[in-house]
Amino acid sequence: MDNKYQQLFDHVRPAIESKMNEFHFYGYSTVTEADIWKYCVQKKWRKRNITEMRTYEIMNDVMELTPAEYMTYTQIEEQRGSDWFSDLNSDELQLLLSPKKSS
């Protein structure tokens, strides 16, 4: 977690913990407080200056987060970071990406 936001995280932790418990209730048992905070910082507030936000705005954003929003974000981030062709050598990759020749 980014240390510059640690104090703010600690301040709104009850809301984050509540949201994490809600996720666990719905079966998303691997979601942590840090995951929820990371989502908010990187997705929800990416274009905002978090240090200028009011506490009620931060807590409201956390409490409005739905499992669907969070899961969509994590799936997209996973796809961005995946190297689907990492197991292929260069010849296999070339064969895969070459246009099929007609006979």
Side-chain angles (χ1 to χ4, degrees), residues 19-20 22-24 26-32 35-36 38-40 43-44 64-80:
K19 185 52 67 172
M20 180 192 70
E22 179 186 327
F23 276 41
H24 290 185
Y26 288 117
Y28 300 97
S29 58
T30 60
V31 177
T32 65
D35 294 332
I36 293 170
K38 181 180 175 185
Y39 166 84
C40 289
K43 173 71 174 165
K44 198 104 169 153
E64 285 184 340
L65 177 61
T66 66
E69 286 176 310
Y70 176 78
M71 295 310 292
T72 299
Y73 164 77
T74 58
Q75 290 170 350
I76 290 170
E77 289 302 307
E78 181 65 30
Q79 288 176 356
R80 283 184 185 167

Side-chain angles (χ1 to χ4, degrees), residues 17-103:
E17 182 180 4
S18 175
K19 185 52 67 172
M20 180 192 70
N21 290 334
E22 179 186 327
F23 276 41
H24 290 185
F25 176 79
Y26 288 117
Y28 300 97
S29 58
T30 60
V31 177
T32 65
E33 292 175 353
D35 294 332
I36 293 170
W37 183 252
K38 181 180 175 185
Y39 166 84
C40 289
V41 170
Q42 292 182 351
K43 173 71 174 165
K44 198 104 169 153
W45 306 321
R46 73 179 179 270
K47 295 181 181 178
R48 298 190 66 183
N49 183 348
I50 300 168
T51 58
E52 292 180 2
M53 291 176 67
R54 301 209 184 267
T55 303
Y56 74 87
E57 292 175 300
I58 293 170
M59 293 181 81
N60 187 57
D61 285 347
V62 168
M63 297 310 292
E64 285 184 340
L65 177 61
T66 66
E69 286 176 310
Y70 176 78
M71 295 310 292
T72 299
Y73 164 77
T74 58
Q75 290 170 350
I76 290 170
E77 289 302 307
E78 181 65 30
Q79 288 176 356
R80 283 184 185 167
S82 294
D83 185 2
W84 295 357
F85 304 111
S86 62
D87 294 338
L88 300 177
N89 66 34
S90 62
D91 292 335
E92 292 170 326
L93 188 58
Q94 184 63 36
L95 181 63
L96 178 66
L97 298 176
S98 297
K100 187 119 177 139
K101 295 179 182 174
S102 312
S103 0

